Every structure is written in C-alpha cells, then in structure tokens.
Amino acid sequence: MERLDYQQDRLGWEGHDLTHLGDRFQTPTYVYSRRRLEENYRRFDQAFAEIPHLICYSVKANSNLKIISLLVEMGAGVDIVSGGELQRALRAGADPACMVFSGVGKTAGEISAGLTSGLLMFNVESGGELDLIEKQAQALGKVAPVAVRINPNVEAETHPYVQTGQVAHKFGVNSLEARDLYRRAAASPHLEIRGVACHIGSQILEARPFLDAFDEIRAIAEELRGNGIEVTNLDLGGGFGINYGKEKALDLSALAGGLVSRLRGTPYRLILEPGRAIVGDAGLLFARVLYVKRNAQKSQKSFIVLDAGMNDLIRPALYGSYHEILPVRRGPGKSFLADVVGPICETGDFLAQDREMQEVEPGDLLAILTAGAYGYVLSSNYNTRPRPAEVLLNGEQAELIRSRETVEDLLRAEAFDPRKT
Ligand code: LLP
C-alpha cells in the first residue's frame, strides 16, 4: 500500500496520523483512501482506453454506498449479485444501463427487480434461471437482456475457495450447454441476447488464464454472430490479483495488451468486473492491542490479542490469507514471534500466525493492511460483536462513512422484549 509511512515513528496514511484517527473513531475501524480508490479505477479505465469498454465495479468486494458512489461518479458501472446489491447500487446513483447481474441463485423477486430497473444484462448461470427470467419478463411485459455465463474450464492458480472457472464448480454452464441456452433465448420474444460472460476466479496473478477464457467467450460470440445474433458485450468477469505483501500483482498492462490486440477493430465491447483490484489496497483495518500473552515456555506460542478478529476480517481464518500488519507507533526495533489473534472464541480466530512482530503493549494500535476488499462485507456479529466503523480519507478530511454498529442495533430485530413480559 502506497503513501503509508512513518513520521517521527507514527504511522500515517495520506497525510493523516493513524493515532489521531484511532482516538477519534475508536477501534476496530476500516479506513479507506479516496485517492487510492480513484487511482485504481483510473488505471483500469486507461489500460483499455483504446477499445470500447465498461468497468463494472464488483460491489461484493466493498459495498459501502460512498465507495460505490465515488466509482460511479468516475464512470464505473457495477456488477451485482443480489437484490440487496441492486438496491445499494441504485441508491449510490449507478446507471442501470451499466449494471450486470451475476450469481447462481437469483430469485424471482430479484429478477423482477432487475427487470424493472432496466439493467444492462443478467449473466445467466443455468437453464432453470433462463426459464425463470423469461417467465418474469413475460409477466412484466418486458424483454429481458441476457448473457450466458460460460464456465470455460480454465485452471487459474489461486485459493481453491475462489476458483470458479472449472467444471467442478457451481458457476456458469459449459460451452455446449451455453449454445443450447442461446438457441432458446434467440427463439423467445421475451429475451434479448446482449453478450457472453465468464468469471474464472479471484486473486489470479497471471494474464494467461484470462486470455484463454476470453478466447473461449469470443469464439461463442463469433458463432452467435454467424447465426445472425449481434452480441456486443464480452464480459470477462473479475479476479485481477493484487499484492498483499508477498506476491507480484497481476500485470495489468500485459493483460490489457493481450485483450486490446484481440479486440481492436472488432464490434465488441469489453466488460470487466474488478472488485479487489479497485478497493483491496485502498483500505486498512486498524485495531487496538488488548493483551500480550507471552510464552511461558519455549514450546508455547506468544499471542497479541486485538479488539478485531475473524468477525471483522475473516480472510486469514477462511483462506489462510496473508495481510501485512504494521504497528502504528514504531518502537525501538525489538521484535518477537507471535500469533496476532482476535477476541473470538475460536482457535481459527487469527489475523496472522507465527509473525515477527514489533514489541507492543496493551493500548497500542496496529494497522492490518490491504483490507479494503472482502473485509467489512464479510464481517459478522459472531459473539454478539457489533461491526466496525468505516472512515474515508478524503484529502484533508476523514469522513465517517458508516457508523459503528451498537449492541442495541443487534438486539432491535429480535422478538423478545422484557418490558412486555
Ligand atoms: N465477478 C464475479 C461474477 C464474481 O463472482 C467476483 C468475485 C468478481 C466479479 C470480483 O472478483 P475480484 O475482482 O474481486 O477478484 N472472498 C474472497 C473473494 C471471493 C470472490 C468472489 N467473486 C476473498 O476474500 O479473497
């Protein structure tokens, strides 16, 4: 993460002193950089400037209304996967004509809401879904815009939980079945074919699998054109890998080079659905040290216990993901080996394991980096812990863009009321 540096041993980001932010907003809190967010979006947009393209920010990565609205203001479309995300995107000002609706489990209600909004296309993931979309469109007297999500059966090297583009995965349909779905769609007065789609996984660091998947969806588009169906949108999905501190980020210009040379002078528009690559390194989570448990014997571990855990950031617990962790106050340089853990009653509740950490004391702040994507959105209330606050660094301002949940917020929805018994 850039522009994160120490001034007189205090960690700052975008000119803001994180110690002050900790005092002002309390912990745990997610902090985002508007500048970084915008740079990341612009990088994508510019890499494909030469060809018609639409960057549909994948809202699932970070669905804060303010974050969506900043990207929409810059011209982004959105990739949504639920009725809830549809509502969020509309509330944030997204243009329905630039919205793609993916996901294997769209309900009748979600499909109707999508149809009513006038979105760009449903990325259809099964024959059953195509039938339901057709039925809903007929009931509403509308023509539903569709693309079929192809499962291109390319292997992308990433964590098994975030691979999606092989036959063993629940997503999309194979190219044979896709041809059948396209035939059915072409014959229906309630369906309009707008594109061909795929999404092969997440945190992919090589360009090759994307190019292979692209070649496959383009071949299907060509076939459709051969049959007189003028598809224009080729949606390659998201999945563009970033650097969490140990890897080399996907080379966007290499990928763009490959795609631009394939698309130059063609009738197609490229759609990309980046999530992580837009918000990942534009966010961090900061937390306070509650306790330091020192190993009494050599055979035991040491633990830094934070007020943030798997309920706030589940990626390390769920995928074994690495997030760099920096002390907000830099000490004299002594370090020790520790697990950085949360307060949750689960052994899997860790943010780092066997990490060389600077000596810290209760009350110190730590910054967990590159937490802008799949951070807050995957947080939970496990152990009845309210979810954290979210703050946006916007030039000299630090803006609260979501207030910290309270226990009262959590109890409100439950039926038991002691005053009535
Ligand atoms: N499009 C579709 C259809 C998707 O399913 C996803 C992510 C994206 C776009 C955006 O992918 P991205 O550019 O962010 O990689 N929770 C996991 C990641 C799950 C990704 C799910 N789908 C993690 O924290 O690593």
Side-chain angles (χ1 to χ4, degrees):
M1 291 176 58
E2 281 170 35
R3 300 199 179 87
L4 199 64
D5 55 11
Y6 288 94
Q7 301 238 327
Q8 281 148 10
D9 289 335
R10 284 156 72 126
L11 190 64
W13 197 24
E14 303 286 1
H16 291 263
D17 181 334
L18 287 176
T19 312
H20 287 157
L21 294 181
D23 291 340
R24 181 168 159 207
F25 296 105
Q26 304 302 306
T27 51
T29 292
Y30 277 96
V31 185
Y32 308 112
S33 153
R34 174 174 183 171
R35 192 209 304 232
R36 189 70 188 157
L37 188 75
E38 293 182 344
E39 275 172 10
N40 286 341
Y41 174 77
R42 220 171 282 127
R43 210 160 42 88
F44 264 89
D45 200 30
Q46 285 169 359
F48 299 95
E50 226 190 289
I51 53 168
H53 67 277
L54 178 63
I55 309 294
C56 288
Y57 167 61
S58 192
V59 166
K60 67 174 80 64
N62 186 321
S63 59
N64 186 292
L65 289 173
K66 181 74 186 188
I67 302 275
I68 304 173
S69 76
L70 289 174
L71 294 165
V72 162
E73 266 171 41
M74 296 184 76
V78 290
D79 156 48
I80 53 165
V81 289
S82 70
E85 286 190 354
L86 172 64
Q87 276 189 38
R88 274 187 182 278
L90 291 172
R91 179 87 54 96
D95 177 0
C98 299
M99 250 183 223
V100 294
F101 195 157
S102 318
V104 287
K106 304 177 189 80
T107 64
E110 289 175 324
I111 291 168
S112 296
L115 282 167
T116 310
S117 76
L119 47 71
L120 172 61
M121 60 193 194
F122 291 98
N123 287 351
V124 179
E125 306 226 13
S126 64
E129 184 191 328
L130 189 71
D131 292 341
L132 186 57
I133 292 176
E134 183 182 26
K135 197 169 130 203
Q136 296 302 114
Q138 187 170 15
L140 291 170
K142 289 188 182 286
V143 176
V146 295
V148 175
R149 175 167 170 184
I150 317 288
N151 189 331
N153 201 24
V154 297
E155 193 171 346
E157 208 172 296
T158 181
H159 192 284
Y161 285 7
V162 296
Q163 289 180 351
T164 52
Q166 287 173 270
V167 284
H169 302 135
K170 69 178 175 177
F171 301 98
V173 297
N174 67 34
S175 52
L176 218 68
E177 195 179 343
R179 290 183 175 91
D180 177 49
L181 298 193
Y182 277 119
R183 264 192 298 278
R184 280 158 61 187
S188 167
H190 299 291
L191 299 172
E192 180 196 332
I193 299 169
R194 291 246 174 111
V196 184
C198 73
H199 168 76
I200 56 172
S202 197
Q203 184 58 9
I204 297 168
L205 298 165
E206 299 297 326
R208 177 48 45 199
F210 289 109
L211 296 174
D212 289 347
F214 178 84
D215 289 339
E216 181 150 343
I217 61 171
R218 173 163 176 194
I220 291 179
E222 295 281 297
E223 243 178 76
L224 291 170
R225 284 191 163 255
N227 294 329
I229 300 164
E230 303 225 329
V231 288
T232 44
N233 296 295
L234 294 182
D235 182 348
L236 189 54
F240 314 107
I242 64 171
N243 176 19
Y244 279 93
K246 286 185 160 174
E247 58 274 269
K248 201 167 165 296
L250 170 77
D251 182 349
L252 185 61
S253 48
L255 176 65
L259 291 172
V260 169
S261 69
R262 283 166 167 78
L263 281 164
R264 203 182 284 119
T266 71
Y268 301 112
R269 170 169 73 161
L270 177 68
I271 297 182
L272 298 176
E273 304 171 1
R276 189 193 314 269
I278 304 287
V279 282
D281 69 359
L284 60 80
L285 171 64
F286 67 75
R288 214 173 270 284
V289 176
L290 298 176
Y291 303 99
V292 179
K293 293 178 71 172
R294 287 288 188 169
N295 56 345
Q297 291 164 1
K298 267 260 173 302
S299 59
Q300 288 177 334
K301 282 190 164 198
S302 295
F303 297 95
I304 298 173
V305 184
L306 302 183
D307 61 2
M310 66 189 290
N311 53 312
D312 303 298
L313 178 65
I314 203 173
R315 301 193 70 257
L318 194 56
Y319 316 111
S321 308
Y322 176 89
H323 285 264
E324 208 175 319
I325 301 180
L326 293 180
V328 169
R329 180 187 51 79
R330 192 159 54 183
K334 265 176 69 187
S335 70
F336 70 123
L337 198 67
D339 280 13
V340 181
V341 301
I344 298 293
C345 300
E346 297 264 353
T347 305
D349 177 26
F350 57 84
L351 296 171
Q353 282 181 308
D354 300 319
R355 188 75 63 86
E356 204 55 44
M357 295 290 300
Q358 176 200 293
E359 295 281 353
V360 284
E361 289 167 15
D364 283 351
L365 289 168
L366 294 183
I368 299 132
L369 307 191
T370 326
Y374 307 107
Y376 189 95
V377 286
L378 274 162
S379 64
S380 79
N381 295 124
Y382 189 33
N383 287 189
T384 306
R385 292 191 174 272
R387 281 176 296 178
E390 293 183 292
V391 168
L392 180 74
L393 304 182
N394 187 358
E396 290 185 356
Q397 306 295 316
E399 244 177 81
L400 186 66
I401 58 171
R402 183 186 327 237
S403 38
R404 183 178 307 287
E405 227 170 14
T406 64
V407 172
E408 204 43 52
D409 293 333
L410 304 186
L411 300 184
R412 197 170 301 128
E414 294 175 42
F416 176 72
D417 183 349
R419 285 160 300 200
K420 290 195 188 144
T421 53

